[in-house]
Structure formats: C-alpha cells, structure tokens
C-alpha cells in the first residue's frame, strides 16, 4: 500500500474541480459525530428555492433483492467486490475530487445524498449518476431520524425522495438513515412505504468524520474490508479525499473491485 505523502495528498485534493479553501465540512453519521448546525436542524429553516429538474432519462429506481435482509450490511462474501458508500453532504469540490479519483481508478461509488445538500448543489445529482455511480436517499436534513416522531421521520424520508425524483426522475436506488448505522423498526417501515425495499447499512466504518488523518482512514478501511463489504465514508472531509487513492490501489492489489452497491448485490 502506498504511503500517504504531502504530494499525493495534494494531488488527490486537486483531482476534482479543485478545493475551495474553507468549505463547510459535513457532519458524520456515527454516534459520536457532532450535531448539525441550527440552520440545518431547525424545522423552520427555509430551503433554497428548488431549481428546475434536469431533463435526462430517469435514473434507476429501487429494487428488491430476494434473499437479502431488510437492512443490508454487506453483500456476498464469495465475490471479490466491495462497495464504497458515501454520505453525501459538504463541500461539492471535495465531492468532485472523490468522484474523479474513483473514476480514474475504474471504481464506482454509492452516494447517499442529503436533501438540503441537493437543494444547494442540484447539479451534483446528475454528476454522480453520469459518472456511473449509485445515488440514494440520506434524509432531508441529516438529523437523527430514528429519534423523530412518525410523521416527522416520514417527512425526512419523503422530502429527500422528492428532491431526488425532481432532479433525476427516481427516488434513488437506496435509503440510509441519518445519524445511525441502522434504521429503527419504525424508520425501516417508513422507508418501505416510501418505496425503498431495503435499508442500506454497512459492515466497515471508516470513522473519517472524526478527522483522524488520511493514514488512519486508510488503515481502518483496509484492516476490516473483505469480499462483500459495504464501507461507510463521507463527502466533505479532506482526509477522505487524500486516503482514497491508497485505498483503491490496495483494493486493486488484493483483487477486490470497488463497485456500486447495486452491482455488489446483483
């Protein structure tokens, strides 16, 4: 595995549209992550005016996978494939860098987008899909959806689904709860009612949202990943951008292909 250096870290950060200094970073979904800002969490916050939908062929819709549980944590262990999944929020330039790096390595990602992020950066929905990646729902405001009352939790799911549908013609292929690795029984039921047969969880947590440094992110992922793994990562963190090239190179060395979650389970 290649060592993370100042040079390759800088190259990784420049791989997308370029790093905007001082961009806001996304909050992680682990139990120890920081709370969302008041503007993000408040139900009274006014979202930006919605932009016109992108006119293109509809994106793939959710599908059921017979034999898979309602909450999926990993794919088949017998196949040399892994899914790198990203919580979609934060500086779009860092997101562009991650997408571009993945594409340069022949890898495809799964992005679970936050609805307010799509409101602010609507072009990112098609950018993700046009790169051959999966796009899904990570709730509207990235708050602790498992702790909400039923009506509020439903709204978090359906509002983000509406954003995705408006921008892409589909509610997205996956749903992942915000601020929790798995959905409560209520949230899983609400997700099914919104059109998502499965909740997408993960078996490898990179802990990148704790900002441990690129080398630590790389070690954490590569020490736990194996065939069929679903890895949790985040947009919005420089450590993740810097770590991704080394992660992908080591996966290649192990002959583990980084594919979309749809491909992992197909």
């Amino acid at each position: 595995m290649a060592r993370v250096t100042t040079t390759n870290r800088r190259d990784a950060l420049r791989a997308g549209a370029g790093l905007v200094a001082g961009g806001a970073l996304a909050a992680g979904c682990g139990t120890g992550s920081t709370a969302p800002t008041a503007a993000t969490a408040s139900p009274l916050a006014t979202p930006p005016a919605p932009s016109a939908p992108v006119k293109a062929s509809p994106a793939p819709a959710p599908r059921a996978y017979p034999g898979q549980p309602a909450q999926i944590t990993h794919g088949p262990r017998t196949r040399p494939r892994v899914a790198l999944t990203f919580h979609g929020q934060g500086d779009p330039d860092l997101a562009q860098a991650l997408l571009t790096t993945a594409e340069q390595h022949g890898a495809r990602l799964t992005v679970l987008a936050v609805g307010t992020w799509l409101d602010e950066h609507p072009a990112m929905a098609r950018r993700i899909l046009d790169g051959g990646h999966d796009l899904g729902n990570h709730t509207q405001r990235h708050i602790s959806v498992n702790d909400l009352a039923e009506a509020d939790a439903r709204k978090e799911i359906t509002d983000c689904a509406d954003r995705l549908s408006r921008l892409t013609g589909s509610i997205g292929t996956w749903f992942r709860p915000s601020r929790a690795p798995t959905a409560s029984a209520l949230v899983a039921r609400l997700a099914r009612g919104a059109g998502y047969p499965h909740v997408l969880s993960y078996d490898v947590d990179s802990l990148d949202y704790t900002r441990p440094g690129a080398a630590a992110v790389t070690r954490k992922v590569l020490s736990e990943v194996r065939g069929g793994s679903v890895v949790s990562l985040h947009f919005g963190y420089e450590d993740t951008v810097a770590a991704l090239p080394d992660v992908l190179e080591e996966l290649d060395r192990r002959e583990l292909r980084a594919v979309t979650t749809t491909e992992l389970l197909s």
Side-chain angles (χ1 to χ4, degrees):
M1 181 180 70
R3 184 172 62 89
V4 175
T5 66
T6 301
T7 300
N8 61 32
R9 182 173 184 276
R10 186 185 304 114
D11 291 342
L13 290 171
R14 290 175 174 170
L19 175 61
V20 174
L25 299 182
C29 288
T31 55
S33 60
T34 58
T37 63
T40 300
S42 172
L44 301 178
T46 302
S51 62
V54 176
K55 294 182 179 180
S57 58
R63 55 181 283 199
Y65 293 86
Q68 290 291 339
Q71 301 207 48
I72 295 172
T73 57
H74 62 83
R77 295 298 191 188
T78 56
R79 298 178 184 173
R81 301 174 180 176
V82 300
L84 304 180
T85 67
F86 286 78
H87 304 238
Q89 193 180 22
D91 185 345
D93 287 328
L94 294 178
Q96 290 274 16
L98 285 162
L99 293 168
T100 301
T101 296
E103 291 155 12
Q104 289 171 343
H105 284 78
R108 295 295 177 263
L109 311 177
T110 299
V111 180
L112 295 311
V114 175
T116 53
W117 187 68
L118 293 174
D119 286 335
E120 295 170 359
H121 311 290
M124 287 303 302
R126 275 290 165 189
R127 167 65 184 90
I128 291 162
L129 292 169
D130 290 346
H133 312 284
D134 272 0
L135 179 63
N137 179 331
H138 196 34
T139 75
Q140 177 61 18
R141 293 176 295 149
H142 200 260
I143 59 179
S144 184
V145 68
N146 285 344
D147 296 333
L148 298 178
E150 181 170 348
D152 295 330
R154 180 184 292 108
K155 183 172 173 58
E156 281 295 310
I157 297 168
T158 58
D159 280 2
C160 186
D162 289 346
R163 269 32 171 216
L164 287 164
S165 183
R166 175 174 53 80
L167 292 168
T168 72
S170 166
I171 63 172
T173 47
W174 300 101
F175 168 76
R176 173 173 286 169
S178 49
R179 306 238 171 229
T182 58
S184 66
L186 170 63
V187 169
R189 175 171 63 80
L190 294 174
R192 286 194 302 273
Y196 302 96
H198 302 278
V199 172
L200 181 59
S201 185
Y202 45 87
D203 65 318
V204 178
D205 189 349
S206 69
L207 299 179
D208 58 349
Y209 61 87
T210 65
R211 299 179 177 89
V217 172
T218 301
R219 285 194 303 270
K220 182 71 164 59
V221 171
L222 295 176
S223 67
E224 299 179 16
V225 71
R226 56 191 177 114
S229 283
V230 177
V231 183
S232 171
L233 296 146
H234 291 75
F235 283 174
Y237 292 90
E238 296 180 14
D239 291 347
T240 313
V241 179
L244 187 60
D246 286 341
V247 169
L248 292 172
E249 288 168 12
E250 179 62 15
L251 290 177
D252 285 343
R253 192 189 69 79
R254 299 181 190 180
E255 298 184 345
L256 290 172
R257 289 182 58 214
V259 299
T260 65
T261 308
T262 298
E263 187 176 358
L264 182 74
L265 297 171
S266 297

